[in-house]
Amino acid sequence: MTLKEYATLVIKNNKMQDSITAQEDESGQVYFAYFKNVSGKDFYYFAVVKKGTDAFWLCQFACEKKNQQKFETKFKDWGKTIQVS
């Protein structure tokens, strides 16, 4: 299974397929992003998918929606530094 296929399964399993899709950036990083209201606050989530030798890993970053522009690029950059084995 590819990273994008796994990300799509996670999205489908969480019933979010109507609003988001898995993306792949120019470096090959697979991710998806979404918004969710938690305890009356709106949050922005950025999820990166990684593949180890025997498992997939889903690493998520989050911030308040109002801070999305401030952190979105940082989340993408930080996601690229994650290594799994």
Side-chain angles (χ1 to χ4, degrees):
M1 180 178 289
T2 68
L3 289 170
K4 201 164 186 179
E5 289 170 336
Y6 180 75
T8 301
L9 284 177
V10 170
I11 292 165
K12 185 175 180 181
N13 187 54
N14 287 283
K15 297 176 176 56
M16 298 186 297
Q17 68 270 20
D18 293 337
S19 59
I20 61 172
T21 58
Q23 305 290 317
E24 185 172 349
D25 68 16
E26 64 283 343
S27 72
Q29 176 171 250
V30 175
Y31 65 93
F32 58 92
Y34 61 97
F35 299 101
K36 187 167 184 159
N37 185 283
V38 179
S39 299
K41 288 189 176 185
D42 292 323
F43 286 88
Y44 169 71
Y45 292 88
F46 184 86
V48 178
V49 180
K50 300 289 182 177
K51 187 174 183 178
T53 56
D54 63 348
F56 286 93
W57 293 80
L58 182 66
C59 307
Q60 295 194 77
F61 301 94
C63 66
E64 285 190 59
K65 185 178 179 180
K66 66 183 179 183
N67 294 321
Q68 176 186 353
Q69 287 187 315
K70 178 179 177 183
F71 286 104
E72 187 170 29
T73 301
K74 291 179 182 183
F75 290 166
K76 287 180 182 180
D77 290 343
W78 294 341
K80 292 175 188 173
T81 69
I82 298 170
Q83 296 180 1
V84 298
S85 54

